[in-house]
Amino acid sequence: NKIDGMPATLGLISVLKGKDGMVVAGLTESGLKFAMMENPVIDKNDLNSPFSPEERKFLQQLIEEQLPEEFKDIQLVLKTIDSGASDPKELGKEIAKTKTGLSENELLSFQSGLLGRLVDLGLLIRKTVGLSSKYSLSNEGKSLVKDEIIGVR
């Protein structure tokens, strides 16, 4: 049995089928480590961020290790914003250069999901004015761009 979704893809959960045919889902070692981390929403009823700084760093490391293409996409978006692009249209043009096989709708869906993950991971700050959004790098995002430029990663 194959399970999709970010927790499975990052190796936080696994699904096994026993000899008796029973399917069991559970946390992996990484999943248990993540579950033990303090979470602002669950542990503090703080709805301002879905993840603590420790959780964000852990997820960023897992993405870099488990999803290298996603990590390249993250770097592309962060570098594009660092060079001055800040609205979804500008970002979309840069993303489209690397995702040539996607239709316009698929590209918009991909971009929306990626930008949302980057905000949740604390790498981007989204400012909404009316119906438009502008993105800027958070301190963590700036640090990731700087690390990449000087070859730390």
Side-chain angles (χ1 to χ4, degrees):
N1 285 342
K2 183 165 178 347
I3 183 168
D4 287 328
M6 191 65 89
T9 303
L10 291 179
L12 299 173
I13 63 170
S14 66
V15 177
L16 304 172
K17 190 173 190 176
K19 291 179 183 176
D20 61 359
M22 184 167 219
V23 177
V24 179
L27 294 174
T28 63
E29 190 175 319
S30 289
L32 181 59
K33 183 176 179 181
F34 183 72
M36 298 301 292
M37 293 177 185
E38 186 173 272
N39 177 273
V41 177
I42 295 170
D43 299 315
K44 296 182 176 180
N45 201 27
D46 178 358
L47 304 178
N48 291 317
S49 174
F51 302 115
S52 68
E54 180 184 21
E55 289 174 312
R56 289 193 303 258
K57 190 71 175 162
F58 186 76
L59 290 171
Q60 287 170 32
Q61 289 171 339
L62 283 178
I63 291 169
E64 184 175 4
E65 294 165 9
Q66 304 292 330
L67 302 170
E69 284 301 313
E70 172 93 357
F71 193 71
K72 285 180 189 174
D73 294 333
I74 288 171
Q75 291 172 317
L76 171 70
V77 169
L78 296 179
K79 287 176 186 174
T80 300
I81 292 172
D82 191 48
S83 16
S86 63
D87 70 55
K89 283 186 182 182
E90 293 171 302
L91 294 169
K93 288 177 186 174
E94 289 303 310
I95 293 171
K97 291 177 185 176
T98 64
K99 302 293 177 192
T100 55
L102 298 180
S103 71
E104 188 176 337
N105 286 340
E106 290 169 329
L107 188 61
L108 287 172
S109 179
F110 175 83
Q111 176 181 326
S112 177
L114 181 61
L115 292 173
R117 285 190 296 281
L118 292 175
V119 170
D120 287 347
L121 289 171
L123 298 172
L124 286 186
I125 299 165
R126 176 179 27 226
K127 293 184 182 170
T128 304
V129 179
L131 296 175
S132 63
S133 296
K134 296 278 185 188
Y135 293 90
S136 61
L137 298 179
S138 67
N139 288 335
E140 288 179 55
K142 289 175 188 173
S143 177
L144 193 60
V145 169
K146 180 182 170 197
D147 287 352
E148 179 62 27
I149 290 170
I150 62 173
V152 172
R153 296 195 175 277

